[in-house]
Amino acid sequence: GQSLEQPSEVTAVEGAIVQINCTYQTSGFYGLSWYQQHDGGAPTFLSYNALDGLEETGRFSSFLSRSDSYGYLLLQELQMKDSASYFCAGNTGGFKTIFGAGTRLFVKA
Amino acid sequence: ETGVTQTPRHLVMGMTNKKSLKCEQHLGHNAMYWYKQSAKKPLELMFVYNFKEQTENNSVPSRFSPECPNSSHLFLHLHTLQPEDSALYLCASSLRPQTSGGADNEQFFGPGTRLTVL
């Protein structure tokens, strides 16, 4: 079946760097997205990788390796407000996006 | 504020009730989606509409019935639900199908309807 696997929880300290990994098993894979969701809020788009390599957007970067069916989200200079759930999502073609179960990030002072 | 609104924000209903969830997007997008989000589980895609036409039904039970009267509005009609249907129901929209690259892949989510079935 099609699935995306990511760790359930990650804890890091303020100012540090954290990497959230995502491995996927999908057919017809077109690219990998990342979304952030705060408690009680809607998921918001962070990034999309269609090609292998690193995409950088401010403090957040996302990486994709198609040959390894693997990607990650890198968060730098962590802030307390970064405490949230982060979802990787695979674009499997057409209108279908498959989401991982989410990684809960706890940022400590 | 993402430009996608959902009503109601909270809904409690009995198993014999009939209710509807409403979603509206003000972004000029062509595709709209319904997702179900349960605790500690991946977001589950339920339905997709593109230009008002249903393009995806992810094996959703018939007690959930979607309706898309135009590209800006999406409804989810609920009847004879089960307690396990209790979840957060999220609506989303995107400019075009997810095969496009870059920013076109961004889905904009509404705040969701927290549904409790008693």
Side-chain angles (χ1 to χ4, degrees):
Chain A
Q2 304 191 75
S3 65
L4 289 91
E5 300 293 327
Q6 51 183 133
S8 57
E9 284 185 11
V10 173
T11 300
V13 297
E14 208 172 5
I17 299 172
V18 73
Q19 179 174 310
I20 299 174
N21 299 319
C22 175
T23 56
Y24 60 86
Q25 251 188 334
T26 66
S27 58
F29 180 82
Y30 284 85
L32 195 69
S33 301
W34 288 92
Y35 287 80
Q36 177 193 61
Q37 185 178 28
H38 286 99
D39 284 347
T44 56
F45 176 84
L46 293 176
S47 68
Y48 177 73
N49 292 69
L51 304 173
D52 284 4
L54 194 67
E55 295 277 345
E56 297 181 70
T57 310
R59 294 188 297 115
F60 294 3
S61 302
S62 57
F63 173 82
L64 176 65
S65 169
R66 289 172 173 273
S67 58
D68 297 320
S69 297
Y70 163 76
Y72 65 72
L73 180 69
L74 192 73
L75 297 87
Q76 303 182 74
E77 300 171 22
L78 278 176
Q79 302 174 10
M80 298 298 288
K81 67 178 182 179
D82 297 328
S83 293
S85 292
Y86 293 84
F87 297 87
C88 57
N91 173 358
T92 60
F95 303 94
K96 199 156 185 176
T97 301
I98 298 175
F99 283 79
T103 298
R104 182 82 180 208
L105 172 64
F106 297 94
V107 180
K108 294 183 173 180
Chain B
E1 191 62 47
T2 63
V4 181
T5 58
Q6 290 187 244
T7 54
R9 295 293 308 275
H10 300 272
L11 178 62
V12 179
M13 59 186 288
M15 289 191 285
T16 59
N17 291 157
K18 287 185 180 180
K19 297 286 184 184
S20 296
L21 310 185
K22 179 182 177 182
C23 175
E24 186 173 358
Q25 57 97 358
H26 311 274
L27 302 167
H29 287 170
N30 301 314
M32 295 187 77
Y33 311 76
W34 279 117
Y35 287 91
K36 176 183 178 183
Q37 186 174 33
S38 304
K40 301 198 185 300
K41 292 175 71 174
L43 270 77
E44 298 173 53
L45 179 66
M46 299 175 72
F47 301 103
V48 182
Y49 279 81
N50 184 45
F51 289 103
K52 303 187 300 177
E53 299 296 320
Q54 189 180 118
T55 56
E56 208 62 56
N57 177 338
N58 205 23
S59 304
V60 181
S62 60
R63 57 185 184 271
F64 295 91
S65 174
E67 179 190 359
C68 189
N70 54 62
S71 292
S72 299
H73 293 85
L74 187 64
F75 295 88
L76 188 63
H77 303 300
L78 316 170
H79 64 98
T80 59
L81 294 192
Q82 305 297 311
E84 59 264 30
D85 296 322
S86 298
L88 181 68
Y89 288 84
L90 290 161
C91 172
S93 70
S94 67
L95 181 61
R96 63 196 67 197
Q98 300 288 279
T99 46
S100 304
D104 290 346
N105 272 273
E106 181 175 356
Q107 290 189 35
F108 292 77
F109 284 83
T113 295
R114 175 67 64 186
L115 174 67
T116 303
V117 182
L118 302 176

